[in-house]
Amino acid sequence: MPDIVVRRHSVHGMPTEEYASALRERLPDREVAVARTPASERDLVTDAAVLTGSAIDESLLERAESLRLFASTYAGYDHLPLDALADRGVALTTASGVHGPNIAEYVVGAWLSLARGFLRARRQQREGVWQAFQADDFAGSRVCVVGLGAIGEAIVDRLDGFDVETVAVRHSPEKGAATDEVYGYDEAHEAMADARYVALACPLTDETRGLVDRALLRTMHPDCVLVNVARGPVADTDALVEAFQRNHLGGAVLDVTDPEPLPGDHPLWDFENVLLTPHNAGHTPAYYERLADIVAENVRRAESTGSWDGLENQVGL
């Protein structure tokens, strides 16, 4: 029976066999199997020490008698049965950090695209209109990054050289940051009051749900460009629509929405200064390679220490 089982759910449409191959390259002494059907999942998981995939339900967990680690292929874990994993003594790790470089590129690219008027240029090109228009400078702006996990830190890193003022909003501002200023979530208004570019890269928690509401949108500069690569509910959708209807926001690039997927008749589709992408900012052809690095290192660490604790990206259960 295999040591590591890869569930059949692909990430961003990439074949799971690529993930299994990456694991085999890093762990040649371990047997890695891909569970291609529900039946094979139920069979293979019974003796596996490691199961990896986007999710696990309690019925499958009950069959996993030897399971020591569930390695999620997602960075988020609020959809997982945390209590059941804890009760069975199964460690949980995430894909945190895998998305950092590509999502950071998405955010900076989104800011630059709206600053330089690329959306308008593309619209005029489709219409065959040759008409000069004014654009903004990204340099000299105040840029705010909300959330300083792996993604938020990667965004801040990529702002070096752009000659911008950087501020961050994080759960524990006392930890500091590689930014000019750091604020707590209760100081979001102060952090964003003069920001022209804001990125939401925080987890969805009770503290961040609805963080960008009508009150905060009124505080934000009317030329501000908002990018959301966090979760849709971090921003109040109705408040966003109202802000655009009243010209209270300069633009937005939204990789996540609430609801998701966004209904085809939703008003957010119709604003010329809003760009919507289908929750794929996290896609990178290197996804499985980066993920396999994390999982393989954790397997080696557990083998060395004899404990499935103290792992990279481990979630405290």
Side-chain angles (χ1 to χ4, degrees), residues 188-268:
H189 285 262
E190 288 74 16
M192 298 186 204
D194 296 318
R196 296 300 179 94
Y197 300 91
V198 173
L200 304 178
C202 53
L204 178 62
T205 65
D206 290 341
E207 189 174 28
T208 63
R209 184 179 295 274
L211 176 70
V212 179
D213 56 10
R214 284 180 173 84
L216 188 54
L217 286 166
R218 292 190 189 102
T219 295
M220 293 165 68
H221 193 281
D223 291 332
C224 183
V225 174
L226 176 70
V227 178
N228 190 0
V229 290
R231 288 291 184 267
V234 174
D236 184 311
T237 302
D238 291 340
L240 279 177
V241 170
E242 182 180 303
F244 284 114
Q245 288 173 335
R246 298 185 177 185
N247 202 29
H248 288 171
L249 199 61
V253 179
L254 308 175
D255 190 53
V256 290
T257 58
D258 181 27
E260 188 174 307
L262 197 67
D265 60 352
H266 198 280
L268 276 176

Side-chain angles (χ1 to χ4, degrees), residues 145 147-148 152-153 156-157 166-170 172-183:
V145 178
L148 279 183
E153 289 185 346
V156 171
D157 288 345
T166 57
V167 299
V169 179
R170 68 183 310 175
S172 303
E174 66 275 6
K175 291 182 179 179
T179 56
D180 297 311
E181 298 178 68
V182 187
Y183 297 85

Side-chain angles (χ1 to χ4, degrees), residues 256-289:
V256 290
T257 58
D258 181 27
E260 188 174 307
L262 197 67
D265 60 352
H266 198 280
L268 276 176
W269 290 109
D270 300 326
F271 296 110
E272 293 183 350
N273 54 346
V274 175
L275 177 62
L276 295 162
T277 56
H279 204 151
N280 71 331
H283 171 67
T284 167
Y287 197 103
Y288 285 146
E289 296 292 327

Side-chain angles (χ1 to χ4, degrees), residues 52-70:
T52 181
S54 60
I56 182 172
D57 56 45
E58 294 190 39
S59 62
L60 188 62
L61 188 57
E62 288 176 358
R63 298 180 63 87
E65 298 176 358
S66 301
L67 190 64
R68 302 302 307 277
L69 170 66
F70 179 70

